[in-house]
Amino acid sequence: LHRGLVTFYPMRGNHLQFITLSKNDESFTQPLKSGINIVFISSDIKYPEYHYIASVTIKYILLICICKEMTHIIFEFCCDIIAVIANLVGWSYKEANVYIFIWLQPALVILSALLFAIACMKYNIKMKTPGSTLLNIMGISLLIFYIIIGIQIIFRYNIPPDDAFILAQQDMIRFGKPIGANYEHVNFVLFVFGMPGIILINWIGTYRINKRYRNL
């Protein structure tokens, strides 16, 4: 967890370690108890521009640490699943990642968006109301958007799987750097929650619209 010039690192037991990031690499360690508000002050006489006050709630820090650890655990679990799939079908680990996450998942996103757009068009043809027209426009717009993204993916990653895997890693590291996210975090958001979430939402939307259409 980063706040200004302070980085908080979990320690063994029920304590956290405070490490200051100053030009002279001076460090301080302060054990904390759960549920209290801490004000931690550092005054670097040599570099006065690096003075700071960090006021934090320990419960919030612990929550962030737990979330980051859970992200890592889920990420490692997903990697193990991919490794098992790769062994079953005779792919390498990199090939499995490329085929599943770069090709299959975006294809499923486009397919789900296509079915959603078709359902919206059928519903709009029968209803012909401002609401159904707006829904139809939204469905077609989303489909066009996902197709454009899919075309960009094809042009960028239409290379041997090993090279595509390395390129995708580099892209995710570059995307995450401006917001302080690492490769794991970007991978987790895109492939564990992002695209599966889009597919699920599209399927639910398609089901609900088709159900309304049948009940007309």
Side-chain angles (χ1 to χ4, degrees), residues 10-23:
M11 296 176 63
R12 293 181 179 178
N14 296 321
H15 301 104
L16 294 176
Q17 183 179 8
F18 279 42
I19 299 180
T20 66
L21 304 178
S22 58
K23 286 185 178 179

Side-chain angles (χ1 to χ4, degrees), residues 116 119-121 123-139 209 212:
F116 179 71
C120 291
M121 285 188 285
Y123 185 73
N124 183 50
I125 290 172
K126 197 160 188 178
M127 291 294 295
K128 294 181 180 179
T129 63
S132 65
T133 301
L134 182 62
L135 187 65
N136 186 33
I137 293 172
M138 183 185 71
I209 293 172
R212 285 188 183 182

Side-chain angles (χ1 to χ4, degrees), residues 188-207:
F188 189 82
V189 170
L190 281 178
F191 301 119
V192 177
F193 278 111
M195 282 193 277
I198 292 171
I199 294 168
L200 179 62
I201 290 171
N202 286 340
W203 282 108
I204 292 174
T206 302
Y207 171 78

Side-chain angles (χ1 to χ4, degrees), residues 123 126 207-216:
Y123 185 73
K126 197 160 188 178
Y207 171 78
R208 290 175 65 88
I209 293 172
N210 283 332
K211 187 176 179 180
R212 285 188 183 182
Y213 179 81
R214 289 192 297 267
N215 292 334
L216 291 176

Side-chain angles (χ1 to χ4, degrees), residues 2-44:
H2 298 277
R3 286 290 179 271
L5 298 172
V6 186
T7 302
F8 305 97
Y9 293 93
M11 296 176 63
R12 293 181 179 178
N14 296 321
H15 301 104
L16 294 176
Q17 183 179 8
F18 279 42
I19 299 180
T20 66
L21 304 178
S22 58
K23 286 185 178 179
N24 60 351
D25 295 326
E26 187 176 4
S27 299
F28 299 90
T29 300
Q30 176 67 48
L32 304 177
K33 295 182 179 180
S34 179
I36 61 175
N37 192 66
I38 299 299
V39 177
F40 188 63
I41 304 174
S42 172
S43 180
D44 190 335

Side-chain angles (χ1 to χ4, degrees), residues 16-182:
L16 294 176
Q17 183 179 8
F18 279 42
I19 299 180
T20 66
L21 304 178
S22 58
K23 286 185 178 179
N24 60 351
D25 295 326
E26 187 176 4
S27 299
F28 299 90
T29 300
Q30 176 67 48
L32 304 177
K33 295 182 179 180
S34 179
I36 61 175
N37 192 66
I38 299 299
V39 177
F40 188 63
I41 304 174
S42 172
S43 180
D44 190 335
I45 298 176
K46 189 175 180 180
Y47 301 102
E49 68 273 20
Y50 279 78
H51 294 182
Y52 61 85
I53 298 178
S55 179
V56 296
T57 302
I58 188 60
K59 287 183 177 179
Y60 176 70
I61 297 174
L62 290 174
L63 177 62
I64 295 297
C65 293
I66 291 171
C67 290
K68 292 178 73 173
E69 183 62 24
M70 286 301 297
T71 300
H72 177 72
I73 292 172
I74 296 173
F75 177 79
E76 291 295 328
F77 177 71
C78 292
C79 290
D80 292 338
I81 293 176
I82 297 302
V84 171
I85 294 173
N87 289 330
L88 289 175
V89 299
W91 294 337
S92 69
Y93 176 77
K94 291 182 179 180
E95 287 175 335
N97 274 275
V98 171
Y99 296 150
I100 294 172
F101 297 118
I102 294 181
W103 300 122
L104 179 60
Q105 269 197 349
L108 291 176
V109 168
I110 294 173
L111 176 61
S112 66
L114 175 62
L115 295 176
F116 179 71
I118 292 173
C120 291
M121 285 188 285
K122 288 167 54 180
Y123 185 73
N124 183 50
I125 290 172
K126 197 160 188 178
M127 291 294 295
K128 294 181 180 179
T129 63
S132 65
T133 301
L134 182 62
L135 187 65
N136 186 33
I137 293 172
M138 183 185 71
I140 294 173
S141 300
L142 286 174
L143 176 61
I144 293 172
F145 173 75
Y146 292 136
I147 289 175
I148 291 173
I149 297 297
I151 292 172
Q152 292 178 336
I153 290 173
I154 291 172
F155 278 108
R156 182 157 183 82
Y157 298 109
N158 189 23
I159 53 180
D162 287 359
D163 297 333
F165 179 84
I166 294 172
L167 180 60
Q169 274 190 326
Q170 294 171 347
D171 287 342
M172 284 185 279
I173 291 171
R174 187 174 70 253
F175 294 153
K177 188 171 293 184
I179 59 174
N182 60 24

